[in-house]
Amino acid sequence: MTLNSSPLPTDPAAIREKLLDLFCQLAYREGDFTLSSGQ
């Protein structure tokens, strides 16, 4: 999986913002789906 070809930030605030962006893109899901726990 390639996220982006741009270089990774080195500033702690920029790293935090990038992580939050990735979290919002990848960790949140709406709709009908089944969790690995079966719920």
Side-chain angles (χ1 to χ4, degrees), residues 13-31:
I15 292 170
R16 182 179 191 276
E17 178 139 354
K18 182 69 173 176
L19 287 172
L20 286 172
D21 287 343
L22 288 171
F23 180 79
C24 289
Q25 292 172 18
L26 303 174
Y28 180 76
R29 182 181 268 185
E30 287 185 358

